[in-house]
Amino acid sequence: NAGVTQTPKFQVLKTGQSMTLQCAQDMNHNSMYWYRQDPGMGLRLIYYSASEGTTDKGEVPNGYNVSRLNKREFSLRLESAAPSQTSVYFCASSEVTGQGQADTQYFGPGTRLTVL
Amino acid sequence: SQKIEQNSEALNIQEGKTATLTCNYTNYSPAYLQWYRQDPGRGPVFLLLIRENEKEKRKERLKVTFDTTLKQSLFHITASQPADSATYLCALVGDYKLSFGAGTTVTVRA
């Protein structure tokens, strides 16, 4: 039982390059999330998927796209990377058990992305 | 606008003492609040959840209080140990989403 896995662990991009961050969970959770974490700013939600087949914008969606490939996998794509997207990216999943409520979130180990 | 504020400065305490962290929020009416621990280079790990109708919750050496009138949660680590050194995040829940504070870094000296 691996929990939430993310690939790659580290990545360096040049401005304008594109890449996809992969996330998978094996806990059969309905909801999945992408966050970025910057020093002094805490975790900020980029996109989330409340259930398979749906995605919604979070607090900071600009410059990103997501795909909920199936119940297990949720990918984050940077189409044209910018230095402002240098950050640590975390994927998380949760089992929503109450109406309109987010339960405990399980986080992956993170992807450290540098855009030059 | 909605805001979550945690102790802005890092907390350095002696082993065996109690660490108290604060989480204040504005313009939220959360049904419940969560606390997470994050070690360097790792993702956050869930510690405790407290509901709006609960005043206090305990788990081993951890204690959380939740005052919806003051819009504040306090997180206590009693009998602290060097292994408790980490960053602690509070998070407010609503509409399938969590909103996180920036975290407070705790260092416990042996």
Side-chain angles (χ1 to χ4, degrees):
Chain A
N1 196 341
V4 179
T5 57
Q6 292 183 235
T7 56
K9 285 187 167 51
F10 300 93
Q11 184 71 51
V12 178
L13 294 177
K14 294 181 180 177
T15 296
Q17 288 185 316
S18 62
M19 78 161 296
T20 299
L21 281 63
Q22 306 287 354
C23 173
Q25 52 93 8
D26 61 3
M27 296 172 282
N28 202 35
H29 285 166
N30 289 320
S31 300
M32 297 185 73
Y33 311 80
W34 276 105
Y35 295 90
R36 60 178 288 172
Q37 187 173 39
D38 302 292
M41 299 196 71
L43 287 157
R44 291 184 292 169
L45 184 65
I46 304 171
Y47 270 93
Y48 67 102
S49 171
S51 60
E52 187 179 356
T54 68
T55 61
D56 285 286
K57 294 179 181 179
E59 182 185 354
V60 288
N62 291 345
Y64 306 95
N65 284 302
V66 291
S67 295
R68 183 75 183 265
L69 304 170
N70 47 54
K71 192 170 186 180
R72 290 188 64 248
E73 297 171 289
F74 189 37
S75 63
L76 178 72
R77 183 160 178 84
L78 286 69
E79 291 291 351
S80 179
S84 61
Q85 294 178 305
T86 293
S87 188
V88 181
Y89 291 85
F90 289 100
C91 176
S93 70
S94 70
E95 179 60 41
V96 179
T97 59
Q99 186 73 25
Q101 293 182 348
D103 282 292
T104 301
Q105 293 199 2
Y106 296 83
F107 285 82
T111 294
R112 281 139 190 86
L113 175 67
T114 301
V115 182
L116 303 174
Chain B
S1 62
Q2 295 178 321
K3 190 183 286 188
I4 302 170
E5 291 184 331
Q6 297 188 241
N7 303 55
S8 57
E9 296 183 10
L11 206 56
N12 291 286
I13 61 170
Q14 187 71 37
E15 183 177 7
K17 301 293 186 183
T18 296
T20 297
L21 286 63
T22 61
C23 175
N24 296 298
Y25 59 93
T26 55
N27 294 325
Y28 281 95
S29 296
Y32 51 93
L33 182 150
Q34 300 181 5
W35 283 89
Y36 288 76
R37 169 183 173 140
Q38 186 173 21
D39 292 289
R42 294 179 175 267
V45 174
F46 171 77
L47 293 175
L48 279 166
L49 178 154
I50 185 166
R51 301 181 191 282
E52 60 179 340
N53 60 351
E54 296 175 317
K55 296 296 184 189
E56 182 179 298
K57 200 80 168 279
R58 291 176 185 263
K59 179 182 176 182
E60 298 173 353
R61 293 182 295 105
L62 307 179
K63 185 179 85 170
V64 172
T65 62
F66 191 15
D67 189 325
T68 55
T69 302
L70 291 179
K71 296 187 182 296
Q72 181 182 77
S73 176
L74 298 179
F75 179 85
H76 306 272
I77 307 171
T78 60
S80 59
Q81 304 169 359
D84 295 326
S85 298
T87 298
Y88 293 87
L89 311 172
C90 70
L92 301 183
V93 180
D95 295 331
Y96 300 101
K97 296 176 287 187
L98 285 179
S99 297
F100 286 85
T104 299
T105 299
V106 175
T107 302
V108 182
R109 303 186 309 274

